[in-house]
C-alpha cells in the first residue's frame, strides 16, 4: 500500500454508494464489477448510472465489465443500468457466470484501474471494505475477475433487439 492510499470499513449503503461513485469516476480504462444481481441499491441509483455513462462516453476506450448470475431477473426487474448497457454495448459488457465454483463465490466487488476497490464479503450487503489508491489490492481483484470472466458466457439475454 502506498503512503497516500486509504483503507476503510464500509458500514452503510450511503458510504458504499459514495465510494463506488468515486471509483467509477476515477477510472480511466477499466472497471470490473462482480455482483450477482447488480445490486440495485448500489448500481441502479441515478448517480451511478450517470457515472457509468460518463465513463463509457469519455472517449478513452474504457470498458466496464459486469459479471452477473441471473440476467433474466435484471431484465424482468427493469434494472436501471440495463438500457445503458444496451445502448453502449462496446463500452459496457455483461457476462454470466455459470460454473459451480463461480456461482458459490459469496462476495461482490467493484475494482477500477486507478487502484481503487470496493469489496463486499457478502453480495447484496452494504458492509464491506474499501481501498483507494492501492494498486496491489485492485490488481488482486482484477486477476480474480479475469479468471471468472474467461469462464463466463456472453449475456445474450440483455441484448437490445434491433427491429
Amino acid at each position: 500500500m502506498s503512503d497516500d492510499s486509504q483503507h476503510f470499513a464500509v458500514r452503510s449503503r450511503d458510504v458504499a454508494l459514495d465510494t463506488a461513485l468515486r471509483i467509477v469516476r476515477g477510472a480511466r480504462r477499466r472497471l470490473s464489477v462482480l455482483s450477482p444481481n447488480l445490486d440495485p441499491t448500489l448500481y441502479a441509483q441515478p448517480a451511478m448510472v450517470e457515472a457509468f455513462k460518463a465513463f463509457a462516453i469519455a472517449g478513452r476506450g474504457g470498458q466496464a465489465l459486469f459479471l452477473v448470475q441471473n440476467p433474466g431477473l435484471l431484465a424482468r426487474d427493469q434494472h436501471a443500468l440495463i438500457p445503458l448497457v444496451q445502448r453502449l454495448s462496446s463500452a459496457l459488457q455483461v457476462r454470466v457466470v455459470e460454473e459451480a465454483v463461480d456461482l458459490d463465490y459469496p462476495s461482490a466487488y467493484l475494482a477500477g484501474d486507478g487502484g481503487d476497490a470496493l469489496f463486499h464479503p457478502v453480495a447484496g450487503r452494504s458492509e464491506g471494505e474499501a481501498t483507494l489508491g492501492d494498486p496491489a489490492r485492485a490488481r488482486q481483484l482484477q486477476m480474480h475477475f479475469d479468471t471468472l470472466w474467461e469462464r463466463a458466457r456472453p449475456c445474450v439475454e440483455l441484448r437490445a433487439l434491433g427491429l
Side-chain angles (χ1 to χ4, degrees):
M1 224 180 315
S2 68
D3 291 340
D4 58 350
S5 66
Q6 299 175 20
H7 181 91
F8 56 92
V10 174
R11 293 190 174 95
S12 73
R13 185 60 58 191
D14 288 341
V15 172
L17 180 59
D18 289 346
T19 304
L21 284 168
R22 181 173 174 177
I23 292 169
V24 173
R25 291 173 179 155
R28 296 289 167 245
R29 308 249 321 136
R30 179 167 175 187
L31 289 162
S32 300
V33 178
L34 173 64
S35 180
N37 67 345
L38 287 179
D39 183 357
T41 62
L42 190 61
Y43 296 108
Q45 300 305 307
M48 184 61 78
V49 174
E50 283 302 312
F52 275 110
K53 179 181 177 184
F55 172 81
I57 64 173
R60 294 185 293 256
Q63 286 192 312
L65 308 176
F66 302 89
L67 282 169
V68 301
Q69 287 184 5
N70 192 336
L73 288 177
L74 297 175
R76 186 198 74 204
D77 295 344
Q78 299 179 347
H79 193 287
L81 200 52
I82 301 311
L84 188 65
V85 166
Q86 291 172 334
R87 283 194 316 273
L88 301 170
S89 60
S90 62
L92 306 174
Q93 298 179 23
V94 180
R95 286 195 181 180
V96 181
V97 295
E98 293 184 316
E99 299 288 327
V101 66
D102 301 336
L103 292 169
D104 289 342
Y105 186 74
S107 305
Y109 54 80
L110 164 65
D113 60 2
D116 304 329
L118 175 61
F119 181 82
H120 301 280
V122 179
R125 306 239 352 234
S126 58
E127 295 82 12
E129 63 183 40
T131 53
L132 303 174
D134 185 357
R137 175 62 173 148
R139 200 168 27 258
Q140 178 186 35
L141 292 172
Q142 292 281 13
M143 289 173 54
H144 178 259
F145 184 91
D146 290 345
T147 300
L148 274 63
W149 184 262
E150 290 302 315
R151 289 193 294 251
R153 69 168 172 82
C155 181
V156 297
E157 296 89 341
L158 299 178
R159 287 190 183 151
L161 299 176
L163 300 176

